[in-house]
Structure formats: structure tokens, C-alpha cells
Amino acid sequence: MGQDRHLDRRLTMVRRQIEGRGVRDPQVLGAMRTVPRHRFVSRTLAGDAYKDHPLPIGSGQTISQPYIVALMAEAAAIEPDHRVLEVGTGSGYGAAVLAELGSSVISVERHRKLANSAARVLAELGYDNATVVCADGSQGHPPGAPFDAVVVTAAAPSIPSALIDQLADGGRLVIPVGPASFSQNLTLVRRDGDETTSERFCPVRFVPLVEES
């Protein structure tokens, strides 16, 4: 694969932007140090790949700020044997981070162009435990359920019942909740049998979760 000339920038990103803001899970920090974020943006934006902000990826979508990717992964509490669903593949960067943490990742993206591009980059990087599906992510992915963790990278006005239904017992759903025109609340939902509990832990701004008509 050759020398990774972006490694120093990636390590600095993790130290300053992620550890510096309180993310402590060693597996998440290791994943953030490993995944080459510059591979998931255009060559013209590669120089900005490790900066502390989102970047455009086309189709009106963005690659999330590195800190938010790490924060959501930590909240999902993914173990090596977990089955993980990501709603909103985008560039594929988040799926790569999740694939570093879990044994099986299904990532759903409604934009065909983004889905194809993300699948190509993930394959080139050797993430054969991550599968990209082009579909309506608001409905999750019933054929792959139940999931130990669900991570949603778009904002919903309320928590979609379809995603809760696809959580395994003990599973965790991490999702931005709130109106698309304002900031949302990053929300963690835990499932215990037929019961769920939720807590808000961070204000965020995400593109809206679109449900196909």
C-alpha cells in the first residue's frame, strides 16, 4: 500500500479534535487513526480531509465532521462480533469506521451515485465486512435485522419505529432528532426487550432523513 503520507495529519486530528473533546473508547480512537479519511473525498478536497468540519461529497450531502463520526461510534458501543446498520452511507467514511469496530456492517444510501462510489472505495481499502445497499434508509434493512447497533447520519423529526423494530435486544440506536431547518439533538436509544429508553447528549446539524414516497 506504500507509505501513508497523511498519517501524521490523521494522528493530529485524533489527538486534538477527538481525544481533546473527550472521546475515550480506545477502539474508536484506533479506528479513527486507521481509516484514511482523504480517500473518501475528492482529490481537490484531500488537503482538507483532516480538518475540523464537514466537507461536500455531491448530491447535496456531506462527509461528517471527524469528531461527530467518532462520538456516534462511541455512543453505539460496538463490539467486534456486532452486526451494525448505518443509515446514510454518504462517502462511505462512517461505514469504514464502523467496519473497523464490528464484524458486519450494512450501510444504506438512497443516492445511487454515492452508494456506488462508497462501495468502490470500501472495496479498494479491503473492507469486505461492509456492504452498501441503495435503498430507502428510513426503513432500515429488514433482511439483515436484528442489529446490535444502528447509526443514522441524517436527521429525523422523530425516531423511526422501523429502526427500533430492527434493534436486537440490548441494541443501541444513535440518531439526530429534530427539524431539518434547526439544530437537532443527537439521541441514543437503548432497547431492553420490548422497552426502549432514550437520552439526548449533543446538539448537531445534519441533512434531513428522506423517506421515499
Side-chain angles (χ1 to χ4, degrees), residues 10-30 32-33 52 66-68 70-71 74:
R10 193 155 60 248
L11 296 179
T12 299
M13 174 194 77
V14 172
R15 185 175 67 253
R16 293 180 178 176
Q17 300 175 32
I18 298 171
E19 285 186 287
R21 287 189 174 104
V23 174
R24 292 290 178 262
D25 187 315
Q27 302 305 315
V28 171
L29 295 175
M32 299 300 292
R33 294 186 187 105
D52 189 23
Y67 166 67
I68 294 297
L71 182 66
E74 183 175 59

Side-chain angles (χ1 to χ4, degrees), residues 43-178:
R43 290 185 179 181
T44 58
L45 292 175
D48 295 327
Y50 298 101
K51 293 183 178 179
D52 189 23
H53 54 72
L55 293 170
I57 56 172
S59 301
Q61 307 299 300
T62 62
I63 181 173
S64 295
Q65 176 188 13
Y67 166 67
I68 294 297
V69 174
L71 182 66
M72 295 177 78
E74 183 175 59
I78 296 167
E79 301 291 339
D81 62 343
H82 278 180
R83 290 176 54 78
V84 182
L85 173 66
E86 180 187 43
V87 175
T89 312
S91 69
Y93 176 65
V97 171
L98 297 174
E100 286 281 342
L101 299 170
S103 64
S104 176
V105 177
I106 296 175
S107 186
V108 183
E109 172 57 56
R110 62 186 294 267
H111 295 282
R112 174 73 63 182
K113 184 176 180 180
L114 291 180
N116 290 344
S117 175
R120 175 182 54 80
V121 177
L122 288 165
E124 289 174 355
L125 293 173
Y127 289 109
D128 55 6
N129 60 328
T131 301
V132 179
V133 176
C134 188
D136 176 8
S138 69
Q139 301 305 306
H141 187 66
F147 298 98
D148 300 289
V150 177
V151 176
V152 183
T153 65
S158 60
I159 300 169
S161 59
L163 300 183
I164 293 177
D165 291 343
Q166 291 170 44
L167 274 181
D169 189 11
R172 298 160 74 94
L173 164 65
V174 183
I175 180 172
V177 179

